[in-house]
Amino acid sequence: MNTELNRIHFLLEAEAELCLARETKDNIEAAQDLPPYITNYIGSKQKLVDWIWVHTPDGVRSVFDAFSGSAVVGYMYKTKGLRVIANDRLRYGYHIARAIIENNSVTISEDELKDLLKANPKAGDFVQETFRGKFFQSGVHQSIDNIRSNINALQGYKKDIALFALAKSCISGSGSYGHFASSSKGNGKQRADTPSEFTDRFQKNITRINSLIFDNGKENKAFNKDIASALADVEVLPEVKVDLAYFDPPYATEFSTTNYDTSYHFIEGLMTYWKGLEIDESSRVKKFLTDHKTVTQANSEEFFDGFLGKAKGIKHWIISYRDHAYPNEAKMKKLIEKNGKQSRM
């Protein structure tokens, strides 16, 4: 009973603070008329960005979004005029961050969009051959191969925008569960789009992403590093100079774990067109082989202690977490204290 009352009290308090957040005009002028950034990425904090902003300490002028994912939190901080450094281990997250956080002005033109949709006789057939009958309706595989081949003609932020739009189009198809962890053949999870509907959504995604791009007057940056790995080739976290680190890491709960390599294997492979990746032929969904370790109950304390220990030089931390997760609340508090910070939940 006490637990339920605490939950109700928290929800009422949260709603009051979020109402306050919505009433304040914190966005910089350059971001006032931007459309909302809508994402359907697993674990996205899209509904919590106002809450996160309310609880950002006064005086913070720079942020490191360490597990940026959809970059929705980093993008929120960009609209507030802060200098943002975003990082994600997956290349998809990296291209998102380059497209809408690091990039301040570059967009894809109408002519360039038309070129992306042109039939390319030199396009590969990897998606058609490897994923035949999986995830998409007949004909969509060929469209993906074609667009992905045409994207290679772009460079810099234009290529990031196009890759972001193509992956987002693959994720958000009609009838989709938003991931690729399950085989789509015969179980109702196959995206229902026709090829023309798919290309139409791709065009709309390009337009939408173009409209999100703006200059907040800061030198923002995106990285593609595994900050939690002891084997990282470049240690970004100890070197980054910011006022606040925002951590939204993958976590294990009493119910399940989220393996982003499995959930997003298709779009992650698409980012490089599976260059250097080996398909696991025993996998029904044709995921690629990887030695990356999923966060589990057994390794969760080591995982958190690893990246928190590297962030000791950053004054403020915000950690997004959830109940029924490992480490539990008491152990999390001890880990945070061990690494030099006092915390409140």
Side-chain angles (χ1 to χ4, degrees):
M1 184 66 178
N2 287 337
T3 300
E4 187 59 28
L5 288 173
N6 288 339
R7 287 179 182 275
I8 293 171
H9 178 75
F10 169 77
L11 291 172
L12 291 172
E13 183 185 66
E15 180 60 26
E17 294 206 46
L18 290 178
C19 287
L20 175 64
R22 285 190 288 267
E23 291 172 1
T24 58
K25 298 292 184 181
D26 292 304
N27 285 26
I28 63 170
E29 185 175 352
Q32 289 293 332
D33 298 322
L34 294 175
Y37 171 29
I38 306 299
T39 175
N40 57 342
Y41 196 78
I42 294 173
S44 169
K45 298 303 181 287
Q46 182 174 308
K47 294 181 179 180
L48 300 177
V49 289
D50 286 341
W51 173 267
I52 293 167
W53 177 240
V54 165
H55 290 280
T56 298
D58 292 338
V60 168
R61 296 291 178 264
S62 55
V63 176
F64 180 52
D65 188 355
F67 300 86
S68 59
S70 68
V72 68
V73 172
Y75 187 77
M76 176 274 291
Y77 279 124
K78 182 178 179 180
T79 69
K80 305 300 185 183
L82 276 62
R83 179 173 64 87
V84 180
I85 301 174
N87 175 79
D88 200 81
R89 180 180 65 82
L90 296 182
R91 294 194 68 85
Y92 175 50
Y94 170 64
H95 288 300
I96 293 174
R98 274 183 52 86
I100 63 174
I101 291 181
E102 183 173 308
N103 175 24
N104 285 330
S105 60
V106 176
T107 58
I108 288 180
S109 69
E110 287 294 326
D111 287 341
E112 288 166 333
L113 177 53
K114 290 177 182 177
D115 287 340
L116 288 171
L117 297 174
K118 286 181 179 178
N120 186 342
K122 296 183 179 180
D125 60 1
F126 188 90
V127 174
Q128 297 168 68
E129 293 300 319
T130 308
F131 300 95
R132 187 183 304 276
K134 299 183 184 298
F135 306 132
F136 307 101
Q137 296 292 330
S138 177
V140 175
H141 303 78
Q142 183 177 1
S143 298
I144 295 171
D145 276 325
N146 190 79
I147 294 172
R148 181 61 186 86
S149 180
N150 290 336
I151 287 175
N152 287 332
L154 299 176
Q155 294 181 341
Y157 297 130
K158 291 179 184 289
K159 188 171 185 177
D160 295 306
I161 295 168
L163 287 171
F164 178 13
L166 180 58
K168 186 173 177 62
S169 300
C170 291
I171 291 173
S172 58
S174 174
S176 162
Y177 281 6
H179 61 74
F180 301 86
S182 301
S183 175
S184 58
K185 190 74 170 178
N187 64 3
K189 295 180 182 176
Q190 197 168 30
R191 289 145 177 84
D193 302 310
T194 64
S196 62
E197 288 170 332
F198 180 86
T199 55
D200 180 61
R201 187 168 66 254
F202 174 72
Q203 293 179 76
K204 289 178 179 177
N205 279 331
I206 289 286
T207 301
R208 185 77 176 187
I209 294 167
N210 274 345
S211 68
L212 295 173
I213 295 163
F214 76 104
D215 188 350
N216 74 341
K218 301 296 189 298
E219 188 176 347
N220 306 300
K221 189 68 179 172
F223 288 102
N224 178 213
K225 303 296 179 183
D226 186 354
I227 66 163
S229 172
L231 303 176
D233 55 345
V234 177
E235 290 283 10
V236 176
L237 193 49
E239 302 299 325
V240 69
K241 305 299 181 186
V242 292
D243 303 320
L244 168 72
Y246 172 69
F247 298 112
D248 182 23
Y251 35 71
T253 73
E254 295 174 7
F255 318 108
S256 65
T257 60
T258 299
N259 186 317
Y260 283 82
D261 290 82
T262 298
S263 297
Y264 291 119
H265 71 89
F266 179 82
I267 59 168
E268 189 64 9
L270 191 61
M271 295 299 94
T272 60
Y273 207 59
W274 289 267
K275 182 179 179 180
L277 298 176
E278 181 182 351
I279 296 294
D280 180 0
E281 295 299 338
S282 67
S283 165
R284 290 185 62 190
V285 294
K286 300 298 182 182
K287 64 183 180 180
F288 54 82
L289 295 169
T290 176
D291 58 1
H292 184 75
K293 293 183 179 179
T294 302
V295 179
T296 64
Q297 178 183 356
N299 66 20
S300 59
E301 288 189 49
E302 179 184 4
F303 170 71
F304 275 88
D305 193 36
F307 68 78
L308 292 177
K310 298 174 184 177
K312 290 180 179 180
I314 299 174
K315 183 177 181 180
H316 300 290
W317 298 348
I318 292 179
I319 305 173
S320 284
Y321 204 51
R322 60 156 293 167
D323 54 354
H324 301 288
Y326 299 104
N328 61 25
E329 180 176 337
K331 289 181 179 179
M332 278 290 290
K333 281 182 151 317
K334 288 182 179 179
L335 282 175
I336 293 168
E337 185 176 341
K338 172 187 173 183
N339 287 291
K341 299 284 191 290
Q342 296 299 312
S343 64
R344 60 188 175 93
M345 293 286 185

